[in-house]
């Protein structure tokens, strides 16, 4: 038996603008993971892929090219030089809510790639895993920047610019973040598509908005490296304003963000595609419980905490 896991992710600053070549900072969330388990099946049984959370159970030989998990499995088998269909049963589980901005699709795909590499006895280099997962990400959201597969495959905070090697980025200071799920599912493909329509209709206005976000991302890096929590919180708030201008916020997200700030969060914003999914709030340890309670009262389904930076990330 082989088992592999992959974390969820948050985007600290820079989502959407990152699709248009601007930088973004993302971090893994090890408190919520996807898992793949591979067991040898009976001779001749073929390759069975079961993803109960996605309501999928298929035999590789019967699955069409439009299925992202089957396509990814075929890609990986080809990469590993495995010809013919192996007799394997693969079970995929994910604690990461789907379409919530936490990278569930990329995490499931990463766990799948890793378990296939483990079964073949080949070391899974993060750059190779990330490139394979990127192929399947295109099924989930059309024109992905590649940030989700990269941060999840590397499993460490990154400074990311599209089509460039990621810069692992782990400030010595630690930052505590509350991650609150609105319970509203919002596929990234749709929000990325909505921003693209806006950009096509008024490119100059959208390019200026993306530039403003890029400036905030650069300031966030300086604040993180200097351990300036309050400055980072203020930058997150400004990033949220820019995201609202891109029309990817929603009344429910704004309510949760306002509640977190009122309860003492240093800053709060949506994370990922938006219009649903998760918000993140930067908190001090002394305000963490109050912010958690405020987020739950404002409608959050669950609140996780994660630490970015330092040894923990
Ligand atoms: C999704 O986690 C982040 C977006 O910027 C899309 C992408 O980068 O592919 C919204």
């Amino acid at each position: 038996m082989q088992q592999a896991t992959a974390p969820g992710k948050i985007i600290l600053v820079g989502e959407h603008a990152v699709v248009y070549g601007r930088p973004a900072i993302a971090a893994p969330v090890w408190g919520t993971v996807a898992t793949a388990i591979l067991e040898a099946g009976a001779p001749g049984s073929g390759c069975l892929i079961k993803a109960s959370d996605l309501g999928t159970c298929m035999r590789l030989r019967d699955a069409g090219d439009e299925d992202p998990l089957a396509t990814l499995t075929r890609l990986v088998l080809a990469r590993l030089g495995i010809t013919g269909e192996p007799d394997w049963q693969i079970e995929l589980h994910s604690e990461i809510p789907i379409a919530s901005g936490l990278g569930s699709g990329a995490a499931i795909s990463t766990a799948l790639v890793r378990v296939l590499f483990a079964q073949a006895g080949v070391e899974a280099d993060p750059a190779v895993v990330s490139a394979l997962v990127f192929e399947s990400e295109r099924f989930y959201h059309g024109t992905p920047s590649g940030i989700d597969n990269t941060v999840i495959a590397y499993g460490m905070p990154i400074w990311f610019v599209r089509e460039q090697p990621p810069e692992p980025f782990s400030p010595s200071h630690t930052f505590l973040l509350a991650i609150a799920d609105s319970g509203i599912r919002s596929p990234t493909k749709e929000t990325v598509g909505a921003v693209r329509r806006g950009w096509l209709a008024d490119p100059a206005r959208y390019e200026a908005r993306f530039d403003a976000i890029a400036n905030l991302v650069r300031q966030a890096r300086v604040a993180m490296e200097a351990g300036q929590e309050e400055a980072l919180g203020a930058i997150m708030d400004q990033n949220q304003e820019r995201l609202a201008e891109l029309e990817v916020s929603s009344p429910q997200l704004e309510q949760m963000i306002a509640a977190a700030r009122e309860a003492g969060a240093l800053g709060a914003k949506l994370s990922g595609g938006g219009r649903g999914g998760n918000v993140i709030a930067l908190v001090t340890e002394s305000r963490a419980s109050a912010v958690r309670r405020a987020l739950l009262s404002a409608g959050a389904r669950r609140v996780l905490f994660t630490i970015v930076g330092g040894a923990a990330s």
Side-chain angles (χ1 to χ4, degrees):
M1 189 194 82
Q2 298 290 346
Q3 183 165 335
T5 55
K9 70 99 205 349
I10 47 168
I11 303 212
L12 253 119
V13 276
E15 52 273 270
H16 287 292
V18 71
V19 175
Y20 298 82
R22 275 47 167 209
I25 298 173
V29 180
W30 285 102
T32 182
V33 297
T35 307
I37 297 169
L38 187 154
E39 283 182 284
S45 58
C47 185
L48 189 75
I49 305 169
K50 225 170 125 181
S52 321
D53 310 305
L54 303 175
T56 307
C57 180
M58 70 193 133
R59 239 164 245 294
L60 188 58
R61 69 173 80 108
D62 301 329
D65 287 343
E66 71 293 342
D67 186 284
L69 293 174
T71 301
L72 181 59
T73 304
R74 290 189 188 109
L75 264 174
V76 178
L77 293 177
R79 166 93 200 191
L80 293 169
I82 297 172
T83 49
E85 192 171 309
D87 298 320
W88 293 341
Q89 288 187 13
I90 305 166
E91 281 213 36
L92 303 166
H93 294 288
S94 179
E95 307 162 356
I96 309 165
I98 293 161
S100 70
L102 293 183
S104 57
I108 290 172
S109 298
T110 301
L112 172 61
V113 174
R114 284 195 181 137
V115 88
L116 294 168
F117 270 67
Q119 179 68 12
V122 177
E123 202 186 321
D125 178 73
V128 172
V129 174
S130 177
L132 287 162
V133 173
F134 183 67
E135 287 306 308
S136 72
E137 279 286 277
R138 291 178 202 266
F139 283 93
Y140 289 106
H141 48 97
T143 54
S145 64
I147 193 168
D148 287 15
N149 48 283
T150 306
V151 65
I152 289 169
Y154 280 78
M156 58 177 80
I158 54 164
W159 168 271
F160 179 87
V161 179
R162 187 174 191 156
E163 287 164 16
Q164 290 182 19
E167 257 184 69
F169 168 69
S170 194
S172 52
H173 303 270
T174 55
F175 298 90
L176 180 59
L177 289 150
I179 307 173
D181 188 357
S182 67
I184 299 163
R185 300 292 159 248
S186 173
T188 308
K189 191 174 186 167
E190 283 171 24
T191 51
V192 168
V195 172
R196 181 154 300 265
R197 285 190 292 281
W199 174 73
L200 287 171
D202 193 347
R205 183 192 293 254
Y206 273 70
E207 286 293 329
R209 288 173 175 167
F210 298 148
D211 284 340
I213 292 175
N215 274 331
L216 293 171
V217 175
R218 284 187 275 271
Q219 290 170 30
R221 181 172 184 158
V222 173
M224 288 177 82
E225 283 172 343
Q228 295 163 342
E229 274 189 319
E230 293 196 356
L232 180 61
I235 292 163
M236 289 169 63
D237 287 345
Q238 289 172 52
N239 192 173
Q240 174 59 24
E241 280 174 37
R242 303 278 88 83
L243 288 163
E245 280 172 7
L246 294 178
E247 295 177 26
V248 292
S249 194
S250 73
Q252 168 70 34
L253 295 181
E254 292 295 340
Q255 201 176 318
M256 287 165 53
I257 288 165
R261 288 178 187 150
E262 272 162 36
L266 300 171
K269 61 182 277 293
L270 67 86
S271 181
R275 290 197 180 162
N278 278 268
V279 307
I280 56 172
L282 180 64
V283 294
T284 55
E285 280 203 18
S286 63
R287 300 309 299 161
S289 311
V291 170
R292 180 174 179 276
R293 278 194 303 276
L295 284 163
L296 291 170
S297 315
R301 295 289 166 84
R302 67 168 189 170
V303 179
L304 285 175
F305 286 94
T306 197
I307 292 173
V308 177
S313 54

